[in-house]
Amino acid sequence: MRKVVLAPLLAAAVAAPAQAEVKSATPIGFEIEAKTVVRATPAETYDALTRIGEWWDSEHTYSGDASNMTLKPEAGGCFCEAIPADGGTIEHARVVYARPGQTLRLQGGLGPLQSEAVVGTLTWQLKPVAAGTELTQTYVVGGFVRGGADKLAPIVDQVMGHQLARLTEHLVDQRTQSGD
């Protein structure tokens, strides 16, 4: 019980809440952005980003288990998922820019966007600040989406904001386990 009560207090002390928004949306594309500050170094934050299977929500996977997801943080590296039940694999995105402790950028249509004719660019920008690292997550999508990209923008924003919150929580958990 004590751990349950302390966890929210610790989280508040270690990370600022993510601020997410749909910056723009039209029938042919959208831009979403979320920001948070985590009490971790840019190197620690970048390292956690690359271990995506440890913090991504299993509800937003094809296999039902985020531990089946991997991200190879180098140009051409895959953000992929294995589906052990039938031997399937999925490429969610491909790394196009990797600067440890600074920037990680991927291109791909995530979730329902994968079956649409779009290009999506997901960028995590890390900036050292007094409290640790300011982490900005942007996802810019353009192309043809049946029914209009603007209709999906709020849903994608909610899911991606949730993923950023999970990463933040994961970093809090890591610091708690290490005794920081």
Side-chain angles (χ1 to χ4, degrees):
M1 176 71 172
R2 184 173 169 197
K3 189 175 187 177
V4 173
V5 173
L6 291 177
L9 296 173
L10 182 60
V14 178
Q19 298 173 342
E21 71 173 302
V22 176
K23 303 221 26 122
S24 64
T26 71
I28 62 167
F30 60 82
E31 175 188 8
I32 60 175
E33 180 179 278
K35 288 186 180 189
T36 191
V37 174
V38 294
R39 201 163 88 188
T41 67
E44 291 168 331
T45 304
Y46 187 90
D47 185 53
L49 273 169
T50 67
R51 294 188 323 275
I52 202 157
E54 294 179 9
W55 55 269
W56 196 267
D57 190 344
S58 291
E59 292 288 318
H60 296 283
T61 67
Y62 287 89
S63 67
D65 185 352
S67 70
N68 292 320
M69 302 177 100
T70 58
L71 195 160
K72 188 171 185 181
E74 62 183 41
C78 188
F79 168 22
C80 290
E81 179 178 355
I83 305 177
D86 62 11
T89 59
I90 297 163
E91 178 180 284
H92 294 286
R94 180 145 313 270
V95 176
V96 295
Y97 187 83
R99 299 274 314 264
Q102 298 176 41
T103 305
L104 186 58
R105 181 171 299 126
L106 295 78
Q107 286 189 335
L110 301 176
L113 296 169
Q114 190 179 55
S115 64
E116 301 297 332
V118 301
V119 173
T121 303
L122 173 61
T123 303
W124 288 291
Q125 187 71 45
L126 293 75
K127 178 179 155 188
V129 293
T133 301
E134 179 183 82
L135 178 57
T136 303
Q137 172 184 273
T138 58
Y139 191 38
V140 180
V141 175
F144 183 76
V145 175
R146 293 167 284 199
D150 52 338
K151 308 279 189 308
L152 286 179
I155 298 163
V156 174
D157 182 53
Q158 181 181 14
V159 170
M160 293 305 294
H162 174 69
Q163 301 301 351
L164 185 61
R166 287 182 59 87
L167 171 62
T168 301
E169 183 179 312
H170 176 72
L171 284 161
V172 169
D173 290 347
Q174 283 187 314
R175 300 216 32 105
T176 303
Q177 290 171 5
S178 69
D180 289 347

